[in-house]
């Protein structure tokens, strides 16, 4: 399987599950969503664009791509641009249940066939006091993470309320297993 992502978290999830993978990031432009774009459509399209770009470049193999974003009241939260953006995202999510959406796409390059899905989990985000918020922001653990946090980092202010834990990390392993049924000749 070819992982169209440089995400160390996705690579780790796949390796721990016993998959043999080759990493080949798509390096596509990931534009910010336009106003009114639904989060489910946004992550699904980006996952497909990543998978299809690598499939075209390589010409054969099974390509796996994913895109994760958080959504709060219709606003899509990607990776924060800087500390101020991370603080804005953290404050927006505090005291709420927020959605984490991951679009996933498997693309069989030589056949130009693909399957995709979107997994949605709900994360409970507690209210932080100023000292906690600033300590977290100073740690830079928010960098490179959709919604400005990582549930896998054992951040004490977030927990998975409903859905897949691995989805919140960035790759819904249960959904991946189901999608792989479309490609019966593959083994780990």
């Amino acid at each position: 399987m070819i992982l169209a992502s440089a995400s160390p978290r996705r690579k780790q999830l796949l390796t721990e599950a016993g998959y043999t993978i080759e990493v080949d990031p798509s390096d596509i432009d990931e534009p910010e969503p336009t106003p009114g774009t639904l989060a489910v459509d946004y992550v699904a399209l980006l996952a497909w664009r990543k998978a299809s770009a690598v499939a075209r470049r390589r010409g054969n193999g099974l390509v796996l791509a994913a895109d994760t974003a958080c959504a709060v009241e219709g606003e899509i939260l990607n990776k924060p641009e800087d500390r101020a953006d991370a603080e804005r995202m953290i404050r927006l999510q505090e005291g709420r249940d927020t959605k984490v959406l991951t679009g996933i796409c498997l693309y069989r390059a030589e056949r130009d066939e693909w399957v995709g899905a979107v997994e949605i989990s709900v994360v409970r985000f507690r209210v932080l006091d100023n000292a906690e918020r600033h300590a977290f922001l100073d740690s830079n653990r928010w960098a490179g993470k959709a919604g400005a946090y990582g549930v896998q980092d054992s951040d004490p202010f977030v927990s998975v309320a409903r859905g897949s834990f691995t989805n919140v990390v960035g790759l819904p392993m249960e959904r991946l297993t189901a999608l792989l049924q479309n490609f019966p000749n593959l083994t780990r």
Side-chain angles (χ1 to χ4, degrees):
M1 190 172 355
I2 301 157
L3 177 61
S5 172
S7 166
R9 293 168 293 281
R10 290 184 181 125
K11 180 180 177 184
Q12 180 181 2
L13 286 169
L14 289 164
T15 303
E16 287 176 354
Y19 291 99
T20 301
I21 60 168
E22 181 181 340
V23 175
D24 188 357
S26 67
D27 297 325
I28 66 164
D29 288 332
E30 296 184 37
E32 287 297 312
T34 56
T37 299
L38 297 176
V40 67
D41 295 337
Y42 180 74
V43 298
L45 178 60
L46 281 178
W48 179 84
R49 286 186 59 221
K50 292 173 183 181
S52 65
V54 172
R56 280 192 309 277
R57 184 170 68 224
R58 299 198 53 131
N60 65 17
L62 183 65
V63 178
L64 166 63
D67 190 79
T68 302
C70 298
V72 178
E73 293 184 4
E75 182 176 349
I76 298 170
L77 305 179
N78 283 323
K79 298 171 188 167
E81 295 176 13
D82 54 26
R83 181 190 165 104
D85 196 30
E87 183 171 2
R88 176 189 69 81
M89 290 182 187
I90 295 295
R91 287 181 180 275
L92 183 63
Q93 295 174 91
E94 285 183 34
R96 298 176 184 232
D97 285 356
T98 64
K99 290 181 182 176
V100 177
L101 301 94
T102 300
I104 182 173
C105 183
L106 285 168
Y107 204 115
R108 175 63 94 180
E110 61 272 14
R111 294 184 185 160
D112 198 30
E113 296 174 344
W114 62 274
V115 294
V118 174
E119 186 74 20
I120 302 173
S121 298
V122 176
V123 171
R124 184 154 294 140
F125 208 111
R126 76 169 173 80
V127 176
L128 303 176
D129 63 35
N130 284 334
E132 288 175 309
R133 189 179 309 104
H134 289 292
F136 175 73
L137 292 166
D138 289 344
S139 75
N140 285 330
R141 288 195 320 260
W142 50 266
K145 295 178 181 149
Y149 68 89
V151 71
Q152 71 277 3
D153 296 334
S154 300
D155 291 326
F157 49 86
V158 292
S159 60
V160 178
R162 281 192 317 272
S164 166
F165 179 86
T166 60
N167 180 51
V168 179
V169 175
L171 185 61
M173 296 302 290
E174 306 87 351
R175 183 60 67 104
L176 173 62
T177 299
L179 288 177
L180 282 168
Q181 301 305 309
N182 292 283
F183 304 98
N185 298 329
L186 289 172
T187 59
R188 289 185 189 197

